[in-house]
Amino acid sequence: MTFILYIILYFSGIINAIYLPGVSPKGYYEDEEVPLTVNSLSPMAGHMPGSVLQYYRNVYMYDYYDERFHFCNKKGAKALKESLGSIIFGDRIFTSDFEIFMAKNETCKLLCSTTIPSSDIGFVIERIRENYGINWFIDGLPALGKDPLYADRRIYSLGFPLGNIRESENTVEINNHYRIIIEYHKLKNVVYRVVGVTVIPSSKMSTIGFHKNADCSTKKPYILNETRNNSIIYTYDIFWKESNVTWATRWDKYLHVYSPRIHWLSLFTSSVIVFFLIGMVMTVLTKTLHRDIMRYNSNFFDQEDFQEDSGWKLVYGDVFRIPKNSMLLTVILGNGTQLFLMTIVTIFFAMLGFLSPSNRGSLGTCMIVLYYVFAFFSGYVSSRMYKNLSGEFWLKNAIFTSIFVPGIVFLIFFLLNIVLIFAHSSGVVPLKTMSTIVALWFLVSVPLSIAGSFFGFRTKPFSNPVKTNQIPRQIPDQASYMKFLPSFFIGGILPFGAIFVELYFVLNSIWFSNIYYIFGFLFICYIIMVLTCSTVTILMTYMQLCSENYHWWWRSFCIGGSPSFYVFIYNSIKVD
């Protein structure tokens, strides 16, 4: 146990022993240099003409200093250290050539002059057509761009576009001039703190004079030409603006809640669905089942009454019959417990404000660490259920629990990483990070899972209330809606409907580079989803037993997980 604790502390030191901008206040003196760092280019949300619907044209991210973009890099960019979660989510942060000094305004400052050869210009044009955005940071604050959908409101989007498309002229412009507006809060007339960053990009056919000074007075845009080399001059303006916003509230602009009434309406509707389902389950349990069980426990029934029984009462001797592939069922059940605990604890911590977006990657890091820690409960639940199903090979069950599902997830993760490598995306997880994940898996997760399996198998098994018949009862023909596939699809509709609206905002934040921070709504919706899945599973299982089908183990598990099918389909449609 001491060895496992040492391993956790060792890797925690690697992951967390770095300074994350934005976590603690940093003050600047006048004329002190304020660094501007750059992150990967990511696709931004597009809007259907005349509609609020958003669409997505690509999913790959690219390094800011990808050689095909030919951005300015005279000083030699240096990569900054990042957390484990930040790396996995695709952040690749580097220093830049921008020279920004506190409270010093500058106009048309030359960044560099570069040439994009004809062999790379097609790549740049394609990224502009796919609405890729540039992501910068100043003092840990992401640079904001004006959201075109909300031009009449003070709502911003993370990042700003790489270029623009003129559909009427069928031309593509590259944004090579940046107007950087930095808001600051002054303390005691000496110390300045950055509290806001906004970038207004534009395309200009700028020129360089005899004294190597840039001229940005032209309004003519720079139109990219695919048939020749394109010489581009990058320039920028710096405007400092004093603000009453304090450092503690500087993230309020980023954490804007879109349409709060929709969240409340969705929450109310989902709550009504849950109360309705719970009422149905309570009615079944308190009236029908309770009455029948009381009659069975009494000694006042004769053979004639017994013959008149039907439905679930006829399968009482088969309901606890061991299901097929019981080890696989217990392995998946244990891993599901691990995921459930990781999810609910992560959302709870985020709701309390421990996982602030200013601490980049904290959410992903927390998820990974908690997933490894809760491997103990995965092994415990799996082995205890395996013992209840008369399993004897606890070590085999323990090894499968710790390797089977995580192995499948890691294999998919590895294959996706290969796809990103061939796509030359910055989202590729480095070999060092991949090795860290594998090391944590085998040095922390696997031992904890085996330890949980050991204690779970030593626990006294549950005692079934009735004995199982030696000869299985024949199952009658089932109604079409009670077969597996119809039950699976029907069971997932209500839980998915209960979380649909909140899921829309969560997916928007993932795919459209928005910040999601209303974890209070998310936590309540998660509880509602769990309750809905539970009640629907109980009702569907009761209906199955009433149709004299006692093979409920696997079906109840699949019905409880059926909303994931709808989530997968919805997510796939949204990306397309």
Side-chain angles (χ1 to χ4, degrees), residues 245-265:
V245 177
T246 62
W247 188 92
T249 60
R250 66 177 188 165
W251 277 89
D252 290 354
K253 185 186 297 185
Y254 297 81
L255 306 180
H256 179 83
V257 178
Y258 292 84
S259 306
R261 293 183 180 179
I262 296 179
H263 293 277
W264 284 111
L265 181 61

Side-chain angles (χ1 to χ4, degrees), residues 44-108:
M44 301 177 67
H47 299 286
M48 298 294 185
S51 172
V52 297
L53 295 178
Q54 296 176 311
Y55 63 93
Y56 208 54
R57 292 175 174 173
N58 206 329
V59 295
Y60 299 126
M61 302 173 69
Y62 295 96
D63 272 334
Y64 184 86
Y65 291 113
D66 189 307
E67 58 184 11
R68 292 170 292 183
F69 287 115
H70 296 273
F71 284 126
C72 304
N73 188 18
K74 291 183 178 180
K75 296 182 179 179
K78 297 180 180 179
L80 303 183
K81 290 185 178 180
E82 304 161 43
S83 65
L84 179 61
S86 181
I87 294 175
I88 291 178
F89 277 90
D91 288 337
R92 303 293 183 268
I93 303 176
F94 295 87
T95 58
S96 70
D97 288 354
F98 288 87
E99 295 179 349
I100 302 175
F101 299 94
M102 176 57 69
K104 183 179 180 181
N105 294 332
E106 297 189 73
T107 57
C108 197

Side-chain angles (χ1 to χ4, degrees), residues 1 41 99 119 125 158 160 165 213 306 334-335 357 373 392 437 464 466 508 521 529 542:
M1 194 67 183
L41 276 74
E99 295 179 349
S119 57
I125 291 177
L158 288 180
F160 51 92
I165 303 173
N213 294 325
F306 182 77
N335 281 271
V373 171
E392 299 178 355
I437 294 174
N464 296 330
V466 294
N508 271 4
F521 282 108
M529 184 198 68
Y542 175 74

Side-chain angles (χ1 to χ4, degrees), residues 344 347-348 351 518-528:
I344 194 169
I347 298 176
F348 182 73
M351 181 183 65
I518 45 177
F519 289 103
F521 282 108
L522 184 61
F523 183 78
I524 297 175
C525 284
Y526 185 75
I527 298 299
I528 289 175

Side-chain angles (χ1 to χ4, degrees), residues 149-340:
L149 184 62
Y150 303 96
D152 57 335
R153 296 160 61 184
R154 294 180 61 84
I155 296 179
Y156 302 86
S157 62
L158 288 180
F160 51 92
L162 173 64
N164 307 298
I165 303 173
R166 292 195 176 187
E167 299 290 352
S168 58
E169 302 176 8
N170 195 25
T171 57
V172 177
E173 306 169 358
I174 187 168
N175 290 327
N176 60 335
H177 180 77
Y178 311 108
R179 187 182 185 188
I180 306 173
I181 303 172
I182 307 175
E183 300 178 38
Y184 65 89
H185 183 73
K186 199 171 184 179
L187 296 177
K188 299 180 180 179
N189 297 324
V190 177
V191 178
Y192 300 79
R193 287 179 178 173
V194 177
V195 295
V197 180
T198 306
V199 177
I200 303 176
S202 59
S203 180
K204 291 179 178 291
M205 186 69 77
S206 303
T207 58
I208 299 178
F210 293 104
H211 300 287
K212 295 186 178 181
N213 294 325
D215 181 9
C216 308
S217 59
T218 179
K219 294 184 179 180
K220 185 178 180 181
Y222 192 101
I223 299 176
L224 297 176
N225 192 326
E226 292 188 79
T227 61
R228 58 176 175 81
N229 296 341
N230 291 255
S231 298
I232 303 175
I233 298 173
Y234 285 95
T235 55
Y236 61 99
D237 302 331
I238 302 293
F239 293 99
W240 293 90
K241 180 180 178 182
E242 188 170 3
S243 174
N244 294 326
V245 177
T246 62
W247 188 92
T249 60
R250 66 177 188 165
W251 277 89
D252 290 354
K253 185 186 297 185
Y254 297 81
L255 306 180
H256 179 83
V257 178
Y258 292 84
S259 306
R261 293 183 180 179
I262 296 179
H263 293 277
W264 284 111
L265 181 61
S266 170
L267 193 62
F268 174 76
T269 306
S270 302
S271 301
V272 171
I273 294 175
V274 169
F275 288 135
F276 173 73
L277 289 174
I278 292 177
M280 291 181 61
V281 172
M282 290 180 62
T283 301
V284 171
L285 294 180
T286 57
K287 291 186 177 181
T288 308
L289 291 181
H290 182 70
R291 182 178 63 250
D292 291 337
I293 291 174
M294 289 294 293
R295 187 165 65 88
Y296 268 90
N297 289 335
S298 66
N299 296 322
F300 301 101
F301 66 91
D302 53 23
Q303 187 69 17
E304 183 178 354
D305 292 333
F306 182 77
Q307 294 295 335
E308 293 177 355
D309 286 337
S310 62
W312 69 270
K313 310 176 191 67
L314 299 178
V315 296
Y316 72 94
D318 297 277
V319 72
F320 291 105
R321 189 173 301 280
I322 298 175
K324 296 180 180 179
N325 302 316
S326 59
M327 178 174 288
L328 178 61
L329 177 63
T330 57
V331 167
I332 299 177
L333 181 63
N335 281 271
T337 304
Q338 182 181 2
L339 285 172
F340 170 76

